[in-house]
Amino acid sequence: MTDDEKPLLKVEGLVKHFPIKKGLLQRQVGAVKAVDGIDFEVRRGETLGVVGESGCGKSTMGRLITRLLEPSGGKIEFDGKDITHLGTSGMRPLRRDVQMIFQDPYGSLNPRHTIGTIVSAPFRLQGVEPEGGVKQEVQRLLELVGLSPEHYNRYPHEFSGGQRQRIGIARALALKPRMVVADEPVSALDVSIQAQVVNLMDDLQDELGLTYVIIAHDLSVVRHVSDRIAVMYLGKIVELADRDSLYASPMHPYTKALLSAVPIPDPRRRAAKSERILLRGDVPSPIAPPSGCRFHTRCWKATQICKSTEPPLIELRPGQRVACHHPENFEDQAPQDTVLLSAAKEAAALVADEVLAESAQTSAAVAAEAAETSAEEAEEPVSKEPGDK
Ligand SMILES: Nc1ncnc2c1ncn2[C@@H]1O[C@H](COP(=O)(O)OP(=O)(O)OP(=O)(O)O)[C@@H](O)[C@H]1O
Ligand code: SF4
Ligand SMILES: [Mg+2]
């Protein structure tokens, strides 16, 4: 593997537990397992989308890989260098290379500072004097993100949400970073402006050779710009795949549920798969995540092995890694396990028959359950009167 083929960022077994302390002595009584052992890599020049429900650990992951947070375990390598526990001085060069864009364009810009001061802050902090001077460079950056250089002396409150996010992007790009981690960069913006900002980021990526990690709640935002997508659930990555594979044939039931909630613009696909999958109950607490597969309390395919044994994230198809005993669109990994958990039967009640039929093709337990119910129905006495429709 040449240096160019090596991933820009490589993460192994990454963990972040936030201790929960109680009482006068502040004794630790537990921990929020926000990120609980994840492995992935970010390739040079790609956009990796990271999606999952609220609280699944996306922001914590983003803050770990930009080293705004100290990991509790695991390893982070940036450009071949171990940065897991770098101190302030060791981090200095990395602070230039890796930048973060935050969700809230209102809160992340200091209202008392002018746009010029805000966008030039990275130069001051890093002691960098750009060619042609700071002011000229800041004005160039403002133009780059589609703002006017005249905005230099204005204040954040004079700008709309979309413009403020452009200011945040200009600030993030000031030091010519190599990787940008954007944490829900458009979710605070009007839907009509979201696409503009995402497209701006996309254009800048080509122009500046950037590598992106874009975090989003749902798949609709990252769909068009991501090369690969990682799906998180309760502190874990449950599926990581090329965008097209993920859309064409998701393998993790949770991915399938997330996808079913995304409006599908392609009418051919809409006709094929429009069944929305509703999930049973709320996301469990990351303080005490469920045993085995963390999704087993909500999954319509869950069997005993799902409750007892955590499925490892493995590459079942080239470019598609998934952590599931009974994946969709792929051979059952535990076909001997043929009895659904009772929670799974309840979950199945919320899932459309078409989806269950598809699941049955790859899960012996769902198939057995379906066979049983149709046998019961067949045994039921016919109560219809002749002539009834
Ligand atoms: N500093 C902290 N101290 C304690 N718990 C934290 C801290 N930061 C995050 N958490 C907890 O860690 C879990 C993961 O939070 P995180 O913000 O990473 O999720 P998220 O996927 O970004 O959610 P959202 O979509 O709402 O932004 C949550 O249960 C959260 O309450
Ligand atoms: S089938 Fe089992 S392993 Fe797969 S997602 Fe459902 S509960 Fe998890
Ligand atoms: Mg978040």
Side-chain angles (χ1 to χ4, degrees), residues 284-320:
S285 161
I287 297 169
S291 62
C293 171
R294 288 173 187 204
F295 190 52
H296 87 251
T297 55
R298 303 170 86 197
C299 181
W300 64 96
K301 303 180 86 175
T303 61
Q304 190 54 42
I305 192 177
C306 303
K307 198 172 170 180
S308 61
T309 312
E310 185 173 341
L313 185 72
I314 45 176
E315 187 156 6
L316 289 184
R317 264 203 296 258
Q320 190 160 10

Side-chain angles (χ1 to χ4, degrees), residues 73-377:
K75 189 174 176 194
I76 309 170
E77 259 178 35
F78 182 79
D79 205 11
K81 187 175 180 215
D82 187 344
I83 62 160
T84 321
H85 299 293
L86 277 189
T88 320
S89 60
M91 281 295 295
R92 198 164 265 270
L94 188 84
R95 290 265 168 259
R96 295 192 62 163
D97 281 340
V98 181
Q99 291 290 323
M100 192 143 179
I101 298 172
F102 296 94
Q103 168 174 358
D104 178 12
Y106 301 91
S108 58
L109 307 179
N110 187 329
R112 289 189 301 275
H113 289 168
T114 62
I115 303 312
T117 310
I118 290 169
V119 178
S120 61
F123 299 119
R124 283 195 306 281
L125 288 172
Q126 286 276 337
V128 174
E129 179 68 25
E131 218 177 297
V134 171
K135 183 167 184 182
Q136 192 185 319
E137 180 61 11
V138 169
Q139 292 185 325
R140 189 188 71 82
L141 284 162
L142 290 177
E143 274 194 294
L144 187 69
V145 298
L147 294 169
S148 156
E150 262 104 72
H151 291 153
Y152 191 87
N153 287 316
R154 301 242 196 114
Y155 288 87
H157 73 261
E158 299 175 56
F159 294 89
S160 68
Q163 286 174 317
R164 288 187 210 199
Q165 201 53 304
R166 288 170 191 267
I167 296 164
I169 293 170
R171 174 176 60 185
L173 298 180
L175 298 169
K176 303 192 166 63
R178 297 165 68 193
M179 185 170 90
V180 174
V181 177
D183 189 359
E184 309 222 24
V186 298
S187 56
L189 304 178
D190 274 1
V191 175
S192 57
I193 299 163
Q194 290 188 350
Q196 286 177 20
V197 173
V198 170
N199 290 341
L200 167 70
M201 290 180 62
D202 207 28
D203 293 344
L204 291 169
Q205 177 172 45
D206 295 341
E207 222 164 295
L208 307 173
L210 295 166
T211 300
Y212 282 145
V213 176
I214 301 185
I215 296 168
H217 248 82
D218 63 60
L219 285 153
S220 56
V221 170
V222 291
R223 166 161 198 196
H224 298 288
V225 290
S226 299
D227 298 295
R228 294 188 306 144
I229 293 174
V231 179
M232 286 187 74
Y233 186 78
L234 265 183
K236 292 274 180 187
I237 292 179
V238 296
E239 183 158 9
L240 175 57
D242 300 331
R243 187 246 332 248
D244 294 337
S245 311
L246 193 94
Y247 273 89
S249 58
M251 286 202 217
H252 200 281
Y254 181 63
T255 310
K256 191 159 171 167
L258 280 188
L259 274 174
S260 78
V262 180
I264 301 170
D266 179 349
R268 275 167 305 168
R269 273 203 65 207
R270 192 183 296 155
K273 286 178 188 164
S274 63
E275 297 302 337
R276 170 128 199 219
I277 300 171
L278 293 173
L279 292 178
R280 176 178 171 268
D282 292 329
V283 183
S285 161
I287 297 169
S291 62
C293 171
R294 288 173 187 204
F295 190 52
H296 87 251
T297 55
R298 303 170 86 197
C299 181
W300 64 96
K301 303 180 86 175
T303 61
Q304 190 54 42
I305 192 177
C306 303
K307 198 172 170 180
S308 61
T309 312
E310 185 173 341
L313 185 72
I314 45 176
E315 187 156 6
L316 289 184
R317 264 203 296 258
Q320 190 160 10
R321 275 172 257 173
V322 61
C324 177
H325 296 300
H326 310 294
E328 295 280 291
N329 296 303
F330 202 78
E331 191 186 321
D332 200 337
Q333 302 295 293
Q336 73 286 358
D337 217 12
T338 54
V339 182
L340 283 183
L341 297 179
S342 51
K345 291 183 192 171
E346 286 171 33
L350 295 171
V351 175
D353 290 346
E354 289 83 347
V355 176
L356 289 178
E358 246 177 35
S359 289
Q361 290 167 16
T362 55
S363 163
V366 178
E369 183 68 23
E372 213 169 280
T373 31
S374 55
E376 275 167 21
E377 276 163 17

